[in-house]
Amino acid sequence: MKLKIEIKKDSHCVGESNFHYQFTPAYRKAIFSIDKVRELTRAYLFAEAEKLGVVIVTAEFGPDHLQFLLQTAKIILLLNWRKNSKVLFLT
């Protein structure tokens, strides 16, 4: 069995990077047990990923956290997004 490796290209880099993130609300409140909150958060997450040109491989919710896996070749842009994302999705 052969594995197909897909190389991502950007204007100044070639390769692939995968990042695993976990967002947890303050005091681990179980806000993601509410269906509407999960739906809005997922929509916001995928909209921001599309703006940045990254791929969300998977996004899973626990009652008190969100985990997702990003795939990209744009490391600099992703680091800027992390730096500027001090406000969580829900206020």
Side-chain angles (χ1 to χ4, degrees), residues 35-67:
D35 291 335
K36 188 68 172 178
V37 172
R38 280 196 313 265
E39 179 184 322
L40 290 172
T41 304
R42 184 180 300 273
Y44 177 80
L45 184 66
F46 279 88
E48 287 297 311
E50 187 175 333
K51 281 186 206 174
L52 294 172
V54 298
V55 175
I56 297 179
V57 178
T58 184
E60 299 294 330
F61 292 90
D64 60 353
H65 68 281
L66 159 66
Q67 294 186 47

